[in-house]
Amino acid sequence: PPDFNKLNAIARSWLGTPFRAEACMKGRGVDCKFLVLAIIDEWLGLEPAPRRFFKNPGSRYADDGFIQTAFERFYSDVYQHGDPPVLPGDALSFKFCDVAHVGLVIDRNHLVHVLATDGVLIDRLDAPGFMDNLVHVYHLRVDAGGTI
């Protein structure tokens, strides 16, 4: 069975890392898509995929099509808001105005993500604005990394 305590600990180890577009260095800088991918890689014990594979040239923000392509390593079921419940290990995609954003559910009530103004932080899923702007719920594949 998946070790959700390990997922939570890995996510918390990123707290305070500042936002930096197209970066993925704990304590130095990360963007939302690379944060989710780095946490999942570490949690499942996988070698990180080359960053150039995931790079989204010319964009300061992750776009939803890019997120879906990058997450195909781990996630197969993509649900629209209102379908199955959100579970630990799920990636959530949001749209705030014209900006796509993604975060990782670390327990039934919390999401780890990164903001340009605050860096990596953990917020409650029921915080104002999140679920109203939810676009997709990406469920972890059963065979992801041979672990789950």
Side-chain angles (χ1 to χ4, degrees), residues 9-18 23-30 35 38-39 42 120:
I10 293 166
R12 290 181 182 283
S13 74
W14 282 85
L15 289 176
T17 299
C24 189
M25 288 188 71
K26 191 183 296 185
R28 300 289 306 258
V30 68
L35 175 67
I39 292 170
E42 186 175 346
V120 176

Side-chain angles (χ1 to χ4, degrees), residues 81-115:
H81 175 58
D83 280 332
V86 173
L87 304 169
D90 286 351
L92 305 183
S93 153
F94 305 92
K95 188 73 95 174
F96 298 100
C97 298
D98 289 330
V99 178
H101 183 61
V102 65
L104 184 67
V105 178
I106 59 170
D107 64 39
R108 292 215 179 254
N109 299 310
H110 295 92
L111 172 87
V112 64
H113 62 123
V114 60
L115 296 176

Side-chain angles (χ1 to χ4, degrees), residues 30-68:
V30 68
D31 67 15
C32 63
K33 65 188 175 293
F34 287 130
L35 175 67
V36 171
L37 294 168
I39 292 170
I40 291 292
D41 279 337
E42 186 175 346
W43 183 42
L44 299 178
L46 302 174
E47 284 294 316
R51 273 190 45 212
R52 68 184 177 281
F53 175 78
F54 294 120
K55 193 157 174 124
N56 187 15
S59 175
R60 180 166 174 231
Y61 302 103
D63 67 78
D64 199 48
F66 170 78
I67 290 168
Q68 189 167 349

Side-chain angles (χ1 to χ4, degrees), residues 65-76:
F66 170 78
I67 290 168
Q68 189 167 349
T69 300
F71 286 175
E72 285 176 354
R73 281 178 72 201
F74 314 112
Y75 299 100
S76 59

Side-chain angles (χ1 to χ4, degrees), residues 9 11 30 49 79 82 136:
V30 68
Y79 295 97
H136 295 288

